[in-house]
Each structure stands twice: as C-alpha cells, then as structure tokens.
Amino acid sequence: NAGVMQNPRHLVRRRGQEARLRCSPMKGHSHVYWYRQLPEEGLKFMVYLQKENIIDESGMPKERFSAEFPKEGPSILRIQQVVRGDSAAYFCASSPQGTHHGYTFGSGTRLTVV
Amino acid sequence: DAKTTQPNSMESNEEEPVHLPCNHSTISGTDYIHWYRQLPSQGPEYVIHGLTSNVNNRMASLAIAEDRKSSTLILHRATLRDAAVYYCILRDVGNEKLTFGTGTRLTIIP
C-alpha cells in the first residue's frame, strides 16, 4: 500500500517560470491537503481539496497559486511566474473521507527558485 | 484555533523514556489533541491523537490531563531514529486544517 506520492522531489525553476507539483494520495483517500514550509519556518496550511472541488483555500496566496484535484489523476499545485520567495518545501497530505484520524503526508517537493 | 505551548528543545538518552509536554489551556470541548513528528528532510508523520482518555499505539502513548489543559507524549524507549521535531496540535471536530506551531526539537544522545 503505497503512501502519499509527491513528485518531483526536487524542482529548480528560474524566476518567472511555472512550477507544477504533483501529489497522488493514498489509495482510498479522497481528501488532499497542501502545506508549505519556508526555510527555518513551520508548516503552513495552503489548501484543502476533494475530488473536483476546492473546499478551503484560505491559506493560498491570492495570486499566482492554484490547486486542483481532478476526477482522474493526481492533485496539482501550480505556481505561475515563480519568485525567489516561493522557494520552500511543499508537502501534500491525504486522508479518507469522514475520519478524524491522522493525515498521511508525502515526502514533499523542494522548490528552489534561482 | 486554540494555541499550544511546547518547549523549544529537549534532549534524552538513547533507550530511555521521553516525556514531551504540551500545554493547551484554552482547549475547547471538541478539540482533539494530535501529535505529529517531522524527521529531517521528511514530511510530517502522524504519531497519535486523543480526546479525553489516555491512548496507546505502537509508536507512543498520549497522557491527557484530567482538565485537558495539558498533555504529554511518551516515547517508551527512545532510539536515534526518534530524533525529530514533535508537534502538538489541537484540531476541532469539523476542522480539516492542521495548525502547526514551532514544536519541540528532540535530540537523542547515544
């Protein structure tokens, strides 16, 4: 039973390029969450999605960031026109529907903007 | 979200028990107490959670004070692989977000 799969593990982008981060939840999990961890800082919630729906995007920056979780395929976090301040580790987590148990996190994507 | 307070860092000797404290004096009746840990260069890992009663699983035990204003995560026999940042998080029923604080950095001394 594979865990939460994130790819790529490391991503280098030049300023102004687009970054696409992918997350495949655990089998049977229908809830996906994205978190960001800036260097030397704690994890911050970004967005919570269910299949084809954004449930809570209160932690997403207002511009350049978007997320989706299509009916088929992984969840995608998209960052347009990246800037140096976007350099961070981005973690995805998943959980089954209707549970208050713990989330399963992926190993993260480390984005470096040069 | 109710706030939690944890020591910034703790040290423990290998193969000894570790007690990681967490204060949450403003906890509400519907807040679950969750613990996660983050090993270096890894994503957070769920450890344990509870509401009112003490809880045990294969990783750890969670002792919850009777008034629920504090809790303690207990690692029964620390190994070097337990060196991580440990986060105590309150999560309300119906709230899907986890609010991470700064956690406790646990160092295990061989």
Side-chain angles (χ1 to χ4, degrees), chain A residues 33 35 37 45 58 103 105, chain B residues 36 38 41 44 94 96-98:
Chain A
Y33 315 82
Y35 286 76
Q37 188 168 33
F45 168 82
S58 59
Y103 297 156
F105 280 84
Chain B
Y36 284 77
Q38 187 174 22
S41 301
E96 295 290 339
K97 287 188 282 193
L98 296 175

Side-chain angles (χ1 to χ4, degrees), chain B residues 8 15 30 33 50 52 55 61 71 74 76 78 81 84 87 96 101:
Chain B
N8 287 335
E15 299 186 5
T30 52
I33 302 160
T52 56
V55 184
S61 295
S71 61
I74 303 165
H76 294 286
R81 287 176 293 181
Y87 298 97
E96 295 290 339

Side-chain angles (χ1 to χ4, degrees), chain A residues 9 31 33 35 37 41-45 48 56 58 91 95 99-108 110, chain B residues 32 34 36 38 40-46 49 87 91-102 105:
Chain A
R9 284 297 305 270
H31 296 210
Y33 315 82
Y35 286 76
Q37 188 168 33
E41 292 190 19
L43 291 116
K44 303 292 184 190
F45 168 82
Y48 159 43
D56 182 350
S58 59
F91 294 99
S95 70
T99 179
H100 251 288
H101 293 275
Y103 297 156
T104 303
F105 280 84
S107 297
R110 277 144 187 87
Chain B
Y32 282 79
H34 285 247
Y36 284 77
Q38 187 174 22
S41 301
Q42 299 282 331
E45 177 186 25
Y46 166 78
H49 80 285
Y87 298 97
R91 186 178 160 198
D92 194 5
V93 171
N95 182 6
E96 295 290 339
K97 287 188 282 193
L98 296 175
T99 301
F100 287 84
T102 53
R105 184 173 298 276

Side-chain angles (χ1 to χ4, degrees), chain A residues 8-26:
Chain A
R9 284 297 305 270
H10 300 275
L11 181 63
V12 179
R13 284 288 177 265
R14 296 187 184 279
R15 281 178 295 169
Q17 290 184 320
E18 178 179 287
R20 279 182 177 247
L21 288 62
R22 286 177 291 278
C23 169
S24 296
M26 282 189 71

Side-chain angles (χ1 to χ4, degrees), chain B residues 54-67:
Chain B
N54 294 344
V55 184
N56 300 297
N57 65 21
R58 63 173 181 81
M59 289 182 71
S61 295
L62 176 60
I64 301 173
E66 199 168 330
D67 64 4

